[in-house]
Amino acid sequence: MVHELYYGSDTNCARTMLLVLSELLDQTIAPQTLQSAVALHGCGGHGDQCGLVEGAVMFIGIYYLERGWEEQDVVKLAYVFAEAYRNRFGSLLCRNLRPGGFSGDDPPHLCENLTIESIAFAYQFICSNCNR
């Protein structure tokens, strides 16, 4: 699914994270939510906040609020996710996570493997917190 989203429709990493998690966890994502993630691939390619993290945190907000969690609990969980992600992958910044950083002659979607690993990580994190 990641490969098809990346190479079939040139979907960015944040939208890919949202779409794959929505499929895995049977969670509807509103079209406006996907629209809002249009530039969440390293802050529009700037290399800052990773879209994989942003997409996962957006999904966490949608998923847990739909299940009746209080907003402050979702915010705390997002913080825990960010810490866990940084501990696992070494950074929250796209420029640090992207293989080789950024250069003008980069082929598209260098983060495909990182995306798959990040989706698996986010999925396991979300499932492990479902019964809290």
Side-chain angles (χ1 to χ4, degrees):
M1 186 174 180
V2 170
H3 187 80
E4 177 56 32
L5 286 167
Y6 276 177
Y7 293 95
S9 57
D10 199 28
T11 304
N12 74 17
C13 50
R15 286 177 164 179
T16 297
M17 177 67 80
L18 285 163
L19 289 166
V20 174
L21 287 176
S22 73
E23 182 84 14
L24 291 171
L25 293 162
D26 195 29
Q27 174 64 56
T28 301
I29 303 293
Q32 281 185 313
T33 301
L34 292 172
Q35 290 169 342
S36 72
V38 69
L40 297 184
H41 52 286
C43 291
H46 190 270
D48 289 322
Q49 184 74 33
C50 177
L52 296 170
V53 176
E54 292 171 322
V57 170
M58 288 176 71
F59 187 86
I60 285 169
I62 294 164
Y63 188 79
Y64 289 105
L65 290 173
E66 287 268 323
R67 281 151 185 78
W69 281 42
E70 297 294 326
E71 285 186 9
Q72 68 269 16
D73 294 329
V74 174
V75 171
K76 289 176 188 173
L77 188 62
Y79 182 91
V80 171
F81 174 80
E83 286 292 305
Y85 190 94
R86 186 177 58 186
N87 289 339
R88 166 64 176 83
F89 294 98
S91 182
L92 300 175
L93 296 177
C94 187
R95 72 172 68 84
N96 297 339
L97 294 166
R98 184 176 165 90
F102 287 92
S103 70
D105 60 345
D106 284 342
H109 307 297
L110 283 175
C111 293
E112 185 173 4
N113 289 335
L114 176 63
T115 300
I116 293 166
E117 291 176 37
S118 295
I119 289 168
F121 180 81
Y123 176 77
Q124 291 170 349
F125 180 89
I126 291 164
C127 289
S128 72
N129 286 283
C130 284
N131 295 322
R132 281 176 64 180

